[in-house]
Amino acid sequence: MTTIVPTSEDDPVLSVVRLTSELAWADAGPEVAEPQVTSLCFEAQECMVSGRWAELASLMLTSAELITSKVSEKDFECIFTIICTLATRVNSPEEALEMTKLISTKIIQQPNDKPALRLKILFSLYNLLEDPRSRFFVYIKALNLAVNGKVTESIIPSFKMMDQFLQEWNIGKDEQRDLFLTISNILRDNKSTSKESFTFLSKYLTTFSLEEALTTNEEKEEAVHTIIEFVKSPDMFHCDLPDMPAIAQLENDEKYALAYQLLEIFLTRRLDSYIDFHAANSNFLKSYGLVHEDCITKMRLMSLIDLSCNESGKIPYSQVKEALRIKDDEVEYWVVKAIMSKVLDCKIDQLNQLVIVSRRAERVFGLSQWQALRSKLAVWRGNIAGVISTIQSSKLAADEGAQPMQQGVMIW
């Protein structure tokens, strides 16, 4: 394998030009190779002197791609890292963006050849750049490379920083949509990241206004997929999907109305409504890969949440049995399952055959739920203010009572 060694050129860029051109022309023989190498080195020097950085990058990239099979991965990384530094030598953000497009597009041209290493080089390029537009362009290319090169595990950790990235990039709505949808699709392929996929798919849908949702069709399939993912998930019991225009407009859509009805059942109704829906639309459920038994399990837990909405917080065993369509000896099993699934905090009163609920999950958390929470917080704030006032009054009274006693001691 070839190893990069120092040459007479002081600038590492010229060293890379000489190395790559020598390797690229090596098979042609010295009589042909030497003039070509000399010519390329001279051309590179002229580009540097005149500041034609994009032209220099193009020259270097052409030679570099010709020798990928002739150098070690370490040297490959070194060559392309030095080429990436050319993006820092330009004089304006516009030039930096054009240089970035040239370099990153070339890097991802062969996604199946050293994909993990190429992804690493793109991240190096990203970190060298200061212009947000250039950084965003590189990140999108990195996403494409990760997918096409089947190395998505290397880019998934960066998704946790997406909120920070979005603040930095300041990208438009269309770019956000493409980004969120691409990330969701990457995460969708891995069962362990299904929740994260759902989150990014929801973010994608929130970018559509009511007018856009009514006049375009591009988001409808994804809106339906989001509903199906929520229904399928064994540990998601609340969402704000109905508040999204992209979801709400499905209610009156001839093709997708059944998907909206299914969501409505899972968020607002009980098991009997789902069973009726299944009886009438079993083929629809099967077409989306929904398993009837899994849906019943989730709807039983959803029904328990609904039963706990009464003001007393007490649910008789008989109501649980009827709503969940289970036997007497299964009531406590499902209550415990609800506790384990974190949809209820409750106690079981076996003597009185009651489930005493102290907390429940909200199946829908929209505007009305926020208003209810605001009212509760206002009450709690008032109660705390009352307690503080009482403590201060008691302290003041104690201080006033202690003052004469202290004076008496002093006189004594």
Side-chain angles (χ1 to χ4, degrees):
M1 302 298 287
T2 305
T3 302
I4 295 177
V5 295
T7 66
S8 59
E9 288 89 351
D10 293 332
D11 195 304
V13 171
L14 294 177
S15 300
V16 168
V17 171
R18 177 167 292 278
L19 171 70
T20 55
S21 58
E22 286 176 346
L23 290 173
W25 286 95
D27 296 336
E31 291 184 357
V32 176
E34 286 182 8
Q36 292 293 336
V37 171
T38 301
S39 175
L40 287 169
C41 289
F42 181 75
E43 186 179 350
Q45 286 179 320
E46 283 193 325
C47 289
M48 293 180 70
V49 171
S50 57
R52 304 198 315 269
W53 302 112
E55 190 176 331
L56 176 59
S58 181
L59 181 152
M60 296 177 71
L61 287 166
T62 300
S63 296
E65 279 297 340
L66 292 173
I67 63 163
T68 55
S69 61
K70 299 180 180 181
V71 296
S72 66
E73 289 196 354
K74 182 178 179 180
D75 290 347
F76 181 89
E77 180 183 356
C78 181
I79 289 168
F80 273 91
T81 300
I82 290 174
I83 294 174
C84 288
T85 63
L86 296 178
T88 66
R89 302 196 184 194
V90 296
N91 297 319
S92 68
E94 289 72 23
E95 288 180 289
L97 180 57
E98 289 306 311
M99 181 77 78
T100 298
K101 289 180 178 180
L102 177 65
I103 296 173
S104 56
T105 301
K106 196 70 173 180
I107 290 173
I108 70 167
Q109 272 187 350
Q110 300 182 49
N112 297 318
D113 178 30
K114 305 180 180 71
L117 184 57
R118 290 175 183 269
L119 193 61
K120 183 180 178 182
I121 293 168
L122 280 178
F123 287 148
S124 296
L125 174 60
Y126 181 97
N127 291 327
L128 284 169
L129 298 168
E130 295 182 0
D131 177 50
R133 292 176 302 166
S134 298
R135 283 189 154 199
F136 175 68
F137 185 87
V138 172
Y139 192 84
I140 291 297
K141 291 299 181 182
L143 282 177
N144 294 335
L145 175 61
V147 172
N148 296 329
K150 297 180 174 56
V151 287
T152 53
E153 68 281 356
S154 298
I155 203 168
I156 285 176
S158 70
F159 298 163
K160 295 178 181 179
M161 301 174 64
M162 194 50 57
D163 289 340
Q164 178 183 330
F165 289 156
L166 290 172
Q167 285 185 340
E168 176 190 336
W169 297 333
N170 193 28
I171 56 178
K173 188 183 291 185
D174 290 340
E175 292 168 319
Q176 287 185 39
R177 286 175 185 168
D178 292 340
L179 176 66
F180 293 151
L181 194 55
T182 300
I183 292 175
S184 177
N185 289 335
I186 289 173
L187 294 169
R188 188 183 300 175
D189 294 334
N190 191 332
K191 288 185 178 180
S192 64
T193 55
S194 58
K195 265 192 174 182
E196 289 81 0
S197 173
F198 178 86
T199 298
F200 278 101
L201 194 53
S202 298
K203 288 183 177 182
Y204 164 78
L205 294 177
T206 58
T207 64
F208 289 89
S209 66
L210 179 58
E211 182 180 358
E212 289 173 322
L214 291 173
T215 56
T216 63
N217 292 316
E218 64 176 289
E219 85 292 349
K220 288 187 178 181
E221 284 288 347
E222 298 302 336
V224 172
H225 182 78
T226 307
I227 292 172
I228 299 302
E229 286 303 302
F230 172 75
V231 172
K232 278 184 178 180
S233 174
D235 54 1
M236 279 197 287
F237 299 97
H238 63 88
C239 68
D240 57 358
L241 293 181
D243 292 335
M244 299 179 188
I247 296 289
Q249 55 96 23
L250 296 179
E251 182 177 9
N252 299 315
D253 189 281
E254 183 178 351
K255 183 177 180 181
Y256 299 115
L258 284 178
Y260 186 87
Q261 291 176 28
L262 182 64
L263 177 65
E264 189 178 36
I265 289 171
F266 270 79
L267 290 178
T268 63
R269 301 184 192 175
R270 297 182 183 178
L271 178 62
D272 54 353
S273 296
Y274 167 73
I275 290 176
D276 291 342
F277 181 89
H278 175 266
N281 304 285
S282 60
N283 290 334
F284 166 81
L285 296 170
K286 288 179 181 177
S287 68
Y288 283 102
L290 291 167
V291 179
H292 181 51
E293 291 74 16
D294 294 341
C295 290
I296 286 180
T297 296
K298 184 164 183 172
M299 275 307 300
R300 280 176 172 157
L301 295 173
M302 290 295 203
S303 300
L304 271 174
I305 297 174
D306 196 58
L307 287 171
S308 68
C309 290
N310 66 74
E311 293 184 3
S312 69
K314 297 179 180 179
I315 314 171
Y317 277 27
S318 57
Q319 287 187 12
V320 176
K321 174 188 172 183
E322 180 181 356
L324 274 59
R325 298 194 178 189
I326 54 177
K327 300 176 182 177
D328 290 329
D329 59 359
E330 294 179 304
V331 170
E332 292 180 7
Y333 166 82
W334 282 99
V335 173
V336 171
K337 190 173 181 65
I339 296 171
M340 296 297 292
S341 300
K342 298 181 180 180
V343 299
L344 291 181
D345 283 340
C346 58
K347 295 180 180 179
I348 297 175
D349 183 349
Q350 292 179 320
L351 182 62
N352 295 305
Q353 300 281 283
L354 290 173
V355 179
I356 304 171
V357 180
S358 57
R359 184 202 64 84
R360 71 175 186 277
E362 293 286 354
R363 297 165 76 180
V364 180
F365 210 92
L367 180 59
S368 60
Q369 284 72 33
W370 281 113
Q371 290 173 338
L373 180 58
R374 181 181 181 182
S375 299
K376 288 181 180 179
L377 289 174
V379 172
W380 292 342
R381 185 177 181 180
N383 292 339
I384 291 172
V387 170
I388 292 173
S389 178
T390 301
I391 293 172
Q392 289 175 339
S393 298
S394 299
K395 184 179 179 182
L396 181 60
D399 290 344
E400 289 175 351
Q403 187 67 26
M405 182 181 296
Q406 292 175 352
Q407 292 174 351
V409 171
M410 290 173 65
I411 294 170
W412 176 260

